[in-house]
Amino acid sequence: MFNSTVLYKQLPIFANHLNSGMPEILSELYSNILDTSWLEVVAVIFGILSVWFARKENIWVYPTGIVNVLIYVYLCFFAGLYADMAINAFYFVMSVFGWYNWTRRVDNTHHVPISSLNMKQWLFYVLLIMVAFGVIYYVLSNYTDSTVPVFDSFTTSLFIAGMWLMAIKKIENWLLWILGDVLVIPMFAMKGLAFTSVQYIVFLILAIMGYIEWRKRLKLKAVL
């Protein structure tokens, strides 16, 4: 049976352990930020700009995103994040496609609109993520020296689906970005890319805001 007295006694102990470890965590984060290369800083700036433009449904999401992903192909290779390196190469291809698709007109006056997935489409993308995870995990586990194959494979699978859904303007892309961002924040910090970890905290905030804003636009379109 649950004992609230035991929990009450344990809370101060847990708090003391957390507080004693915080200076070390913050010190390591500060040290990693100081060691951040100028190239990573440039990538972070363009990455944040790209997500900001995506939130606003602005075509500049793709030019800024292309700069970001090309830099991260280079950075992830040397960090040993091979799946993330591959996903950024995929982002480049998808950015080119998304750039084309967002500027394409569905009629004489309208571009591709924001829309949502139906249940059948949801099931398809869940299956796609599961298959992608299995394939990527197998490759990372057997053919690379990746130290985080599970996290790397799962977040990569989420971002593959998320990038495609963004290119075709499905609002659910934001839900996949949110979940993926939550998972990669500690992963990048652990790999010494602290500034990138901070970037994904910003991405997480912007993704939540993006979902809210796209949802409002989708409801407004339904009313009209």
Side-chain angles (χ1 to χ4, degrees):
M1 181 179 293
F2 176 75
N3 191 326
S4 60
T5 303
V6 173
L7 176 61
Y8 180 78
K9 291 180 179 179
Q10 291 296 316
L11 283 175
I13 298 174
F14 174 77
N16 287 334
H17 280 299
L18 182 62
N19 289 332
S20 63
M22 281 304 293
E24 182 179 346
I25 295 172
L26 293 175
S27 176
E28 183 176 354
L29 178 63
Y30 178 70
S31 176
N32 286 337
I33 290 176
L34 289 180
D35 291 337
T36 299
S37 69
W38 66 268
L39 198 58
E40 187 180 348
V41 173
V42 172
V44 167
I45 292 172
F46 276 90
I48 292 173
L49 284 174
S50 179
V51 179
W52 176 264
F53 285 128
R55 175 194 164 210
K56 295 295 184 181
E57 200 184 353
N58 188 305
I59 193 61
W60 276 95
V61 56
Y62 290 111
T64 52
I66 285 173
V67 174
N68 171 269
V69 299
L70 289 179
I71 294 175
Y72 271 109
V73 168
Y74 175 85
L75 292 176
C76 287
F77 175 78
F78 286 101
L81 297 173
Y82 303 112
D84 277 285
M85 178 188 71
I87 190 61
N88 277 286
F90 174 78
Y91 285 168
F92 172 74
V93 175
M94 288 307 304
S95 292
V96 174
F97 168 73
W99 197 343
Y100 158 76
N101 197 49
W102 279 36
T103 55
R104 180 175 62 87
R105 293 185 183 275
V106 294
D107 56 38
N108 292 333
T109 57
H110 298 91
H111 294 291
V112 177
I114 296 172
S115 59
S116 60
L117 298 175
N118 57 38
M119 183 56 66
K120 184 177 180 180
Q121 291 170 328
W122 253 121
L123 291 174
F124 169 79
Y125 283 104
V126 169
L127 179 62
L128 174 65
I129 291 168
M130 292 172 61
V131 171
F133 169 77
V135 172
I136 297 169
Y137 178 75
Y138 177 80
V139 172
L140 291 183
S141 299
N142 292 278
Y143 299 104
T144 76
D145 59 353
S146 174
T147 56
V148 284
V150 174
F151 272 99
D152 206 1
S153 301
F154 186 56
T155 55
T156 298
S157 302
L158 290 174
F159 292 151
I160 286 174
M163 190 68 181
W164 173 257
L165 291 176
M166 176 170 284
I168 61 176
K169 285 195 176 179
K170 294 293 184 181
I171 190 173
E172 289 81 6
N173 83 86
W174 292 113
L175 299 178
L176 299 184
W177 291 119
I178 289 168
L179 177 57
D181 291 344
V182 169
L183 295 174
V184 298
I185 288 168
M187 184 180 72
F188 277 113
M190 183 179 67
K191 298 297 286 188
L193 295 173
F195 204 66
T196 298
S197 185
V198 173
Q199 171 193 232
Y200 274 92
I201 294 174
V202 178
F203 281 176
L204 175 60
I205 296 170
L206 290 176
I208 294 171
M209 295 171 65
Y211 178 75
I212 294 171
E213 187 156 337
W214 277 37
R215 187 173 177 82
K216 289 179 180 177
R217 295 188 182 201
L218 189 58
K219 287 183 176 179
L220 180 61
K221 189 191 74 161
V223 171
L224 298 175

